[in-house]
Amino acid sequence: MALNQDPYLLGALLGAGTFLAPSANTLLISYQVSLTPDRIQGQVNSAGYFVTSAVSPVAPIAAGLLLSSLGGPNALLVIAAAMALTALIATGSSTMRLIPDFSQLVPG
């Protein structure tokens, strides 16, 4: 998005992300439910929703500050760099690499 501002390309990229998001959420929540003991499912879900709700108002403010100070393309590059750093940290995490295969968690 930072390198090409063609509205049709941007629409296709945003559409692809929007189309794939529910599948990713389903996979992540399925793993969470499979790995969390039944007795603490509610606590884990509550904690996750609390953290998500607490940080949600920060994103529009941060995006607005980036846009006003850096402009559109540079703000998108900063966001891309933050996403890449997050992916690298998750990839390097031994906890993430030790998650069992989903087929081992679900019988049948």
Side-chain angles (χ1 to χ4, degrees):
M1 291 177 162
L3 304 176
N4 188 336
Q5 284 79 40
D6 175 37
Y8 295 109
L9 176 64
L10 294 178
L13 291 172
L14 290 172
T18 302
F19 179 74
L20 296 174
S23 299
N25 285 338
T26 300
L27 179 67
L28 293 172
I29 291 171
S30 297
Y31 262 109
Q32 174 189 326
V33 169
S34 298
L35 293 171
T36 304
D38 290 340
R39 67 184 185 285
I40 60 170
Q41 287 283 340
Q43 294 166 333
V44 171
N45 286 330
S46 295
Y49 289 131
F50 173 76
V51 170
T52 302
S53 298
V55 298
S56 290
V58 176
I61 295 168
L65 290 173
L66 284 173
L67 282 170
S68 64
S69 63
L70 301 176
N74 288 333
L76 287 170
L77 290 172
V78 169
I79 292 169
M83 291 175 70
L85 179 63
T86 302
L88 285 172
I89 291 170
T91 302
S93 167
S94 61
T95 303
M96 294 294 283
R97 283 187 268 122
L98 295 175
I99 293 176
D101 186 72
F102 196 67
S103 63
Q104 297 171 356
L105 299 173
V106 180

